[in-house]
Amino acid sequence: LLLGLLALFGAIALLLLAPGRMTVSTMEGDVLHLLDGVTRMRMGQWPHVDFATPLGALAYLPVSAWGDLGLGRAMALSHATAAAVCLPALVWIGLSRLRLGMALALGAVVLVTAATLAWSPDSQGATAAMSYNHWGWALVMQGLALMLLDRAGATARGATGREATGRGGAAARTGALIDGLMIGALGAVLVFLKATFAVGLAGMWLVWVLTGAERRAIAASVLAGLGLAAAFAAAFGGVEVAQAYIGDLLRVAEAGEARPMSQKPALITF
């Protein structure tokens, strides 16, 4: 399974590393918003504190990290970075829930989703805009798989895992712990990527809890989610950044559909 997923990832990475140019002719306003944030971060500024944006810092950081290679190449490699982040959860989902063929099929869907460009319904073509949406979908798909698919050897829904004994009981407790840690980590990443995806995953998490998820997994998901979110907030500037992020989201919610849309597309080449 691991070799198969690594082969899929390697093929995607090679395609993204192929020589070429990135030309942006659709949804250029969104692309420029992303690149403006990336450029500001490379100048030492931070989202929400130094500039307003409804996106979390993780929407910009994968591009900013590769910025020395040029913006076009950095945008391509940010997709490879997002795909690489998906690998640990995909390996666990495959080993704990799926047959090899289904695990590789899910891996292919998730990795391709994370690595490909978005689709613009207006121009009926691919666009470099809103790549963070694809990353969010890829992460949410993994969260859904962890919550909806029964893990092999899982204890009865709603149980603590204490009912099982011996090696099977230890495996069930360990599996529940890993499930919870991964679900919590996915939620924390989504919070600092794009909050709307985190809200969606939170709704799915609530259904998962109410339908009898293992208590150990629930507790681990809460602790991991809060812990990793706190670590991200601290790394990105602390309480001030978290408060400013909430403020940016509230301003966007109050503004509604006030953003003007230009009818004359621009052409940007990297």
Side-chain angles (χ1 to χ4, degrees):
L1 172 62
L2 178 60
L3 290 176
L5 290 174
L6 288 175
L8 287 170
F9 172 75
I12 290 170
L14 285 175
L15 289 174
L16 291 171
L17 288 169
R21 296 187 304 169
M22 177 176 287
T23 299
V24 179
S25 58
T26 59
M27 305 183 73
E28 62 282 357
D30 292 279
V31 177
L32 290 173
H33 176 82
L34 175 65
L35 294 181
D36 176 69
V38 168
T39 303
R40 289 175 180 273
M41 286 189 71
R42 292 185 56 76
M43 293 168 58
Q45 298 183 15
W46 280 99
H48 319 301
V49 174
D50 297 305
F51 62 95
T53 174
L55 302 175
L58 293 180
Y60 302 101
L61 195 57
V63 185
S64 177
W66 297 103
D68 288 341
L69 300 178
L71 289 176
R73 181 65 64 190
M75 291 181 72
L77 288 174
S78 69
H79 290 273
T81 302
V85 168
C86 294
L87 286 172
L90 287 174
V91 171
W92 172 246
I93 292 167
L95 292 176
S96 63
R97 288 165 167 79
L98 300 173
R99 296 178 183 272
L100 178 60
M102 289 299 297
L104 291 176
L106 175 64
V109 171
V110 171
L111 292 177
V112 169
T113 298
T116 53
L117 297 176
W119 178 263
S120 170
D122 295 329
S123 63
Q124 294 296 301
T127 175
M130 300 184 293
S131 53
Y132 41 81
N133 282 346
H134 270 214
W135 304 343
W137 293 330
L139 295 174
V140 167
M141 279 192 280
Q142 293 174 89
L144 276 173
L146 287 165
M147 289 186 277
L148 293 180
L149 301 178
D150 288 332
R151 189 182 69 254
T155 56
R157 282 189 172 270
T160 62
R162 295 175 184 170
E163 295 82 350
T165 58
R167 293 182 179 178
R173 291 191 292 272
T174 301
L177 181 62
I178 296 174
D179 281 356
L181 292 175
M182 289 196 166
I183 291 169
L186 289 170
V189 171
L190 289 171
V191 166
F192 286 92
L193 177 69
K194 188 175 180 181
T196 47
F197 284 102
V199 172
L201 187 68
M204 302 169 199
W205 179 86
L206 184 60
V207 172
W208 176 64
V209 170
L210 294 176
T211 53
E214 294 166 289
R215 295 174 191 173
R216 186 181 296 268
I218 296 171
S221 69
V222 172
L223 293 175
L226 293 177
L228 187 56
F232 279 140
F236 298 151
V239 177
E240 181 187 9
V241 169
Q243 292 175 335
Y245 187 11
I246 294 171
D248 285 348
L249 292 173
L250 291 176
R251 277 191 292 273
V252 170
E254 293 169 357
E257 296 294 329
R259 186 180 67 169
M261 297 293 290
S262 171
Q263 299 302 315
K264 296 182 179 180
L267 187 65
I268 311 165
T269 303
F270 302 106

